[in-house]
Amino acid sequence: MFNAMLDELPTEYKGFWIDTDFGIGIQISQALLNEELSQQERIETSLSLLFMVEDEKGNPLPIPDIYTALDGLKWFLSDWYHDRPNEKS
């Protein structure tokens, strides 16, 4: 079982670098709930926050195709529940 308080968070999704900082998670949630943005803008903003386009040295990183990116966003937002199938949210 994964413990977000004690275990190291993942740094990639299917080989693509992701930013799992707590603040990024909050910003993604805010973007997805922002009614001033279109649905496309909400998704684009969320994906741009989650998937890193360059490393810490400024070198470009590969970015996922849209299907992989959307799966990654869904995984990032909800995978915690799959570790606890008997609990209700």
Side-chain angles (χ1 to χ4, degrees):
M1 182 184 301
F2 181 76
N3 183 324
M5 298 299 291
L6 301 175
D7 297 335
E8 190 171 318
L9 295 174
T11 57
E12 64 179 68
Y13 177 77
K14 294 190 176 183
F16 298 100
W17 286 55
I18 58 172
D19 190 345
T20 56
D21 182 76
F22 178 76
I24 293 295
I26 297 297
Q27 291 176 43
I28 289 171
S29 294
Q30 289 177 328
L32 291 172
L33 295 172
N34 188 337
E35 294 180 2
E36 294 179 7
L37 299 176
S38 69
Q39 185 68 19
Q40 182 175 344
E41 290 171 322
R42 292 176 194 188
I43 292 170
E44 287 174 357
T45 300
S46 299
L47 294 177
S48 70
L49 288 165
L50 181 60
F51 288 95
M52 300 171 67
V53 295
E54 56 184 41
D55 65 16
E56 61 277 350
K57 295 180 183 177
N59 300 316
L61 294 169
I63 56 172
D65 63 84
I66 189 66
Y67 299 108
T68 302
L70 290 172
D71 284 344
L73 181 61
K74 181 180 172 185
W75 167 82
F76 178 71
L77 294 173
S78 65
D79 198 51
W80 65 271
Y81 183 75
H82 300 288
D83 288 338
R84 299 164 187 85
N86 294 328
E87 293 181 22
K88 295 189 183 210
S89 54

